[in-house]
Amino acid sequence: MFRNSKFAYGITAIVTHWLSAIVVIGLFAVGVWMVELTYYSAWYKTAPHLHKSVGILLLAVTLFRLFWRLVNPKPVPEANHKLWERQAAHIAHLAIYVLLLVIMCAGILISTAEGRGIMVFNWFELPGFGPFFENQADIAGDIHQYAAYSLIALVVIHAVGALKHHFIDKDATLLKMIKFNRG
């Protein structure tokens, strides 16, 4: 039930997938909103702190998801999936993970460029090691932003693909990532 089977995703994969999806969309929305904040906004310090804290926790969840993916079987694709669809899905999933890791590493480089650590909800501090290269915060900021927009575009394509499988192809692709109990 917690682990994947040959025919279905387990609870662990389903919950971490949807949790990650909600957090990614939320972090993107907050990121777009917070870059417009002024020094005099009540959220000027709070929003970045929350964004960083949630981002670090998402990094932990993403690393767990990658580990979980390695130690669990992947459900077999539906019989009606064409080769190009399976290849496109594989490339899209790989790109999503790469973009997530790039975004989070860039975020860490932005936040630690001056040597300060990142306090995560006042629970623990991710240490800062100072700058690794010239203009680290600016370069990492650009990478963080462009990778985030690329990720959201890919997430939309991923969602459209899942909906296409559900409503047009009428197969169980989306149901594998929604339903907990399957025979």
Side-chain angles (χ1 to χ4, degrees):
M1 184 166 192
F2 287 98
R3 295 179 58 84
N4 299 345
S5 73
K6 187 176 178 184
F7 302 105
Y9 288 102
I11 290 174
T12 305
I14 292 170
V15 169
T16 57
H17 171 271
W18 290 107
L19 177 66
S20 296
I22 291 165
V23 170
V24 164
I25 292 166
L27 283 174
F28 180 77
V30 168
V32 169
W33 167 72
M34 83 180 177
V35 296
E36 300 299 323
L37 295 175
T38 66
Y39 179 78
Y40 300 103
S41 169
W43 286 95
Y44 184 75
K45 290 189 180 202
T46 305
H49 171 71
L50 294 173
H51 186 82
K52 292 175 201 179
S53 293
V54 173
I56 295 298
L57 296 179
L58 179 62
L59 175 57
V61 170
T62 302
L63 293 174
F64 172 78
R65 285 183 72 196
L66 287 167
F67 168 76
W68 193 254
R69 193 174 163 118
L70 287 173
V71 300
N72 273 273
K74 186 174 182 203
V76 294
E78 297 296 309
N80 65 326
H81 289 186
K82 297 171 184 71
L83 176 62
W84 71 267
E85 288 176 311
R86 292 193 307 270
Q87 290 173 334
H90 177 73
I91 291 167
H93 285 109
L94 178 64
I96 287 171
Y97 280 113
V98 168
L99 285 168
L100 279 168
L101 294 172
V102 165
I103 291 164
M104 292 180 277
C105 288
I108 291 169
L109 289 175
I110 296 164
S111 299
T112 62
E114 294 179 5
R116 288 189 300 269
I118 302 170
M119 186 56 70
V120 179
F121 291 119
N122 297 322
W123 296 339
F124 64 92
E125 183 174 8
L126 185 71
F129 300 106
F132 293 105
F133 50 89
E134 195 75 27
N135 298 322
Q136 177 173 309
D138 293 334
I139 294 167
D142 287 343
I143 292 168
H144 189 76
Q145 179 183 7
Y146 292 122
Y149 278 101
S150 299
L151 177 62
I152 291 300
L154 194 51
V155 164
V156 168
I157 292 167
H158 178 65
V160 167
L163 293 172
K164 174 234 179 230
H165 281 291
H166 188 72
F167 291 108
I168 295 173
D169 298 342
K170 300 200 184 308
D171 65 32
T173 301
L174 181 60
L175 295 177
K176 287 179 185 178
M177 194 47 77
I178 292 175
K179 294 175 82 178
F180 288 131
N181 297 319
R182 288 172 304 280

